[in-house]
Amino acid sequence: MSDTANRAVGRRTFVLGSAAAAGTAALAGPLAVPASAATFGWSDDGSNYVVDTGASLVFKVSKTNGDLTSLVYKGTEYQGYGGKNSHIESGLGTSTVSLKQSGSTILISVAHGTLRHYYAARSGENNVYLWTNKADTSVSATRYIVRVQAGKFLNDEPDSYTYAPTTIEASDVFEKSDGQTRSKHYSKVRVIDYDYTGWTTGSVGLYVVRSNHEKASGGPFYRSLLRHQSADGGGLYEILYYGENQTESQRFGLQGPYVIAFTDGGAPSSALYHGNLTTSWADSLGMSGYVAASGRGKVAGVGITGRNTAFPYTVGLANSAAQYWGSARSSDGYFSVEGILPGTYTLTVFKGELAVHTTSVTVTAGGTTTLNTLAIPSSNDPGNASAIWRIGDWNGSPSGFKNADLMTYAHPSDSRAASWTGNVVIGSGSETSAFPCYLWKDVNSGIIVYFKLTAAQAAAAHTLRIGVTTAYANGRPQVVVNDTWTSAVPSPPSQPSTRSLTVGSYRGNNYTFTYSVPASAWLTDTGAYNTLKIYVASGSGTTSFLSAGTSIDAIDLLP
């Protein structure tokens, strides 16, 4: 399988908008230059550098602060809402802005303190290429936001709140009259799942194509802002660092290119996707922190044994400076990750989203580090253990549990959510789908699992395991068996301190709680149901869905 094909394994594009439907696929790909195309070049109108791509796009960049002040595509202005420009964070303020043209490329450079930001245009393309180099915390630059005028693209997607006027949490979660919820947080997809985000009318598409996120944080399964739409207009994001439910420290350095791409309604060209990080035409532009393909390396793995082939496997590479990932081939676990900055990385093999193996790997510039077959020790995968009963799969996520799919794009109070209460009977065939994906102290603490034991099982002590994927306000499970045996309150594991369960994210730090239940706790009547009550313990949090809570990966009772 080719490197390109391997990068595509398990990847899906992310197209949003009112007409991102059938019939647009045929329009995908690079746009031809119109016969009446204008001349590629730039001018200075006194306040802005004005760049004509020679295709159908003309854009302006402020000479004062580096804001993108205009995006005119085929004669129509798309930039701006609420009097705001498109820019880094909420705008950099006074900056040093310069321009240079090198043949068919125009580069605009913005310097603000230690931060460097770049816009590039290529002759005949309806794209704006962007790079951002954040060197330290002196500048709060965690996103680039493309602000789009109201009415240009209409939608009612999970991350839109034009149609949801009632605020139900903080100032960023809203409810419609039918009880459905909306928020800019509800991206629905993980970073590994999408290449671009944006809108289409069917005849015009406006997208932000993401970078490879090598200097972002959170790994392949992280969720962050992608876009929003309100009565004032819309915003498309490239998140350079996001703190919501974040599991890693911020990384610094050059991120990009990410691309503002216009199309005739179809998807942006796959040539713009994050695999094109080190496109050769950018090698000589002199951008701070830029590393060409020749200065990067590759890691290739012969295969991975010890996999459960019912699950997808991902290989991640991470150190304090950069992060990368790639999908393992389902047939044998072969993987290939390229475009890696030189250095030593922790390589992690994920079953679903659950880390089941780690090792160290060193990458050199221009070289390929080839790894022999990686063997996952059986004990590293909790799903390999024999269990008397099990709820859910050990895959690092609440997938399969009640409301799990909805919770990545809706608030728990959403009218589409099934009841968060209700008990579970082992052997019913609906153990997982009946068990809620999240537990809160003030909502459904004390949920009961009913199960029977044989005489031999009831005569022995057993280990109960509860796997979680994140927690809010130090929520963690405390259990009671048959109303006679109560576990100690476990210490809270390290988890992000921000909101999580109400803003569409279950992705924190996977952790397994274990409880040694003595034989004396079980019922000796083999015809009777034992009861396991799971409570949420914590003195933090407030009320309802902002009370202490946790998300569930799997629950099982071992022999």
Side-chain angles (χ1 to χ4, degrees), residues 60 109 116 140 153 155 189 200 232-233 267 272-273 278 290 297 328 332 362 366 430 444 458 474 478 525 534:
K60 297 180 181 181
S109 301
R116 299 293 181 268
S140 177
F153 302 96
N155 66 80
V189 296
T200 178
D232 296 328
L272 303 178
Y273 295 173
T278 52
Y290 182 87
D332 55 10
T362 298
S430 60
N444 55 357
N474 286 330
Q478 181 183 25
D525 180 357
I534 304 175

Side-chain angles (χ1 to χ4, degrees), residues 63-266:
K63 293 166 56 182
T64 300
N65 55 26
D67 284 3
L68 188 65
T69 60
S70 176
L71 276 171
V72 175
Y73 179 66
K74 293 187 174 180
T76 298
E77 177 68 77
Y78 287 86
Q79 200 304 118
Y81 68 76
K84 297 179 180 180
N85 296 321
S86 300
H87 43 218
I88 286 288
E89 199 62 12
S90 296
L92 293 175
T94 302
S95 305
T96 300
V97 184
S98 59
L99 180 148
K100 69 175 181 180
Q101 180 172 351
S102 302
S104 60
T105 302
I106 293 172
L107 180 72
I108 297 175
S109 301
V110 182
H112 182 84
T114 61
L115 183 138
R116 299 293 181 268
H117 180 68
Y118 304 94
Y119 300 90
R122 296 277 290 164
S123 177
E125 296 185 13
N126 292 313
N127 306 314
V128 183
Y129 297 84
L130 302 95
W131 291 260
T132 304
N133 188 338
K134 181 180 179 181
D136 50 46
T137 60
S138 63
V139 177
S140 177
T142 57
R143 68 178 183 181
Y144 191 93
I145 180 169
V146 180
R147 302 187 188 274
V148 183
Q149 290 183 8
K152 291 295 190 289
F153 302 96
L154 299 177
N155 66 80
D156 185 16
E157 297 289 342
D159 50 7
S160 302
Y161 42 93
T162 300
Y163 311 98
T166 303
T167 303
I168 61 171
E169 183 178 301
S171 58
D172 54 13
V173 183
F174 308 91
E175 184 179 63
K176 296 172 60 178
S177 59
D178 62 3
Q180 290 192 16
T181 52
R182 300 287 187 267
S183 174
K184 63 182 180 181
H185 297 290
Y186 297 150
S187 65
K188 193 174 184 178
V189 296
R190 309 164 302 173
V191 174
I192 194 175
D193 296 325
Y194 75 95
D195 295 310
Y196 55 86
T197 184
W199 300 292
T200 178
T201 65
S203 59
V204 175
L206 172 55
Y207 302 93
V208 167
V209 183
R210 75 167 175 86
S211 70
N212 74 340
H213 278 215
E214 91 179 343
K215 294 293 185 177
S217 298
F221 313 121
Y222 188 67
R223 284 179 169 81
S224 64
L225 304 186
L226 295 181
R227 66 171 210 164
H228 76 265
Q229 187 129 7
S230 68
D232 296 328
L236 299 177
Y237 297 93
E238 167 70 342
I239 297 297
L240 309 179
Y241 177 77
Y242 191 48
E244 198 82 73
N245 214 39
Q246 181 59 256
T247 59
E248 295 184 311
S249 298
Q250 185 170 185
R251 294 181 171 95
F252 301 103
L254 186 70
Q255 296 201 67
Y258 49 103
V259 187
I260 302 170
F262 281 93
T263 75
D264 285 340

Side-chain angles (χ1 to χ4, degrees), residues 124-462:
E125 296 185 13
N126 292 313
N127 306 314
V128 183
Y129 297 84
L130 302 95
W131 291 260
T132 304
N133 188 338
K134 181 180 179 181
D136 50 46
T137 60
S138 63
V139 177
S140 177
T142 57
R143 68 178 183 181
Y144 191 93
I145 180 169
V146 180
R147 302 187 188 274
V148 183
Q149 290 183 8
K152 291 295 190 289
F153 302 96
L154 299 177
N155 66 80
D156 185 16
E157 297 289 342
D159 50 7
S160 302
Y161 42 93
T162 300
Y163 311 98
T166 303
T167 303
I168 61 171
E169 183 178 301
S171 58
D172 54 13
V173 183
F174 308 91
E175 184 179 63
K176 296 172 60 178
S177 59
D178 62 3
Q180 290 192 16
T181 52
R182 300 287 187 267
S183 174
K184 63 182 180 181
H185 297 290
Y186 297 150
S187 65
K188 193 174 184 178
V189 296
R190 309 164 302 173
V191 174
I192 194 175
D193 296 325
Y194 75 95
D195 295 310
Y196 55 86
T197 184
W199 300 292
T200 178
T201 65
S203 59
V204 175
L206 172 55
Y207 302 93
V208 167
V209 183
R210 75 167 175 86
S211 70
N212 74 340
H213 278 215
E214 91 179 343
K215 294 293 185 177
S217 298
F221 313 121
Y222 188 67
R223 284 179 169 81
S224 64
L225 304 186
L226 295 181
R227 66 171 210 164
H228 76 265
Q229 187 129 7
S230 68
D232 296 328
L236 299 177
Y237 297 93
E238 167 70 342
I239 297 297
L240 309 179
Y241 177 77
Y242 191 48
E244 198 82 73
N245 214 39
Q246 181 59 256
T247 59
E248 295 184 311
S249 298
Q250 185 170 185
R251 294 181 171 95
F252 301 103
L254 186 70
Q255 296 201 67
Y258 49 103
V259 187
I260 302 170
F262 281 93
T263 75
D264 285 340
S269 169
S270 59
L272 303 178
Y273 295 173
H274 45 87
N276 200 27
L277 173 73
T278 52
T279 186
S280 58
W281 59 262
D283 290 355
S284 61
L285 296 181
M287 292 182 290
S288 172
Y290 182 87
V291 179
S294 59
R296 297 169 176 271
K298 175 181 176 180
V299 173
V302 172
I304 304 171
T305 61
R307 293 173 300 120
N308 182 333
T309 56
F311 298 91
Y313 283 74
T314 302
V315 176
L317 300 170
N319 61 20
S320 61
Q323 61 171 7
Y324 307 91
W325 53 81
S327 298
R329 195 159 59 194
S330 59
S331 60
D332 55 10
Y334 171 84
F335 62 91
S336 177
V337 184
E338 60 183 28
I340 305 170
L341 293 171
T344 298
Y345 294 83
T346 297
L347 182 151
T348 303
V349 178
F350 297 93
K351 170 196 174 187
E353 299 184 21
L354 183 66
V356 292
H357 182 63
T358 61
T359 188
S360 181
V361 61
T362 298
V363 178
T364 58
T368 297
T369 302
T370 302
L371 302 177
N372 294 323
T373 299
L374 300 178
I376 302 173
S378 179
S379 59
N380 284 13
D381 182 351
N384 289 334
S386 297
I388 297 172
W389 54 260
R390 177 170 292 148
I391 303 174
D393 293 314
W394 289 96
N395 63 0
S397 80
S399 59
F401 285 88
K402 182 164 64 173
N403 292 326
D405 290 341
L406 181 66
M407 289 307 97
T408 60
Y409 61 94
H411 191 269
S413 65
D414 194 287
S415 59
R416 293 166 290 177
S419 172
W420 288 103
T421 57
N423 300 319
V424 175
V425 179
I426 300 298
S428 65
S430 60
E431 296 91 338
T432 302
S433 60
F435 198 101
C437 61
Y438 298 160
L439 299 177
W440 288 272
K441 186 175 182 178
D442 202 34
V443 176
N444 55 357
S445 182
I447 193 168
I448 304 174
V449 178
Y450 294 92
F451 60 97
K452 294 180 179 180
L453 297 176
T454 66
Q457 291 168 342
H462 298 289

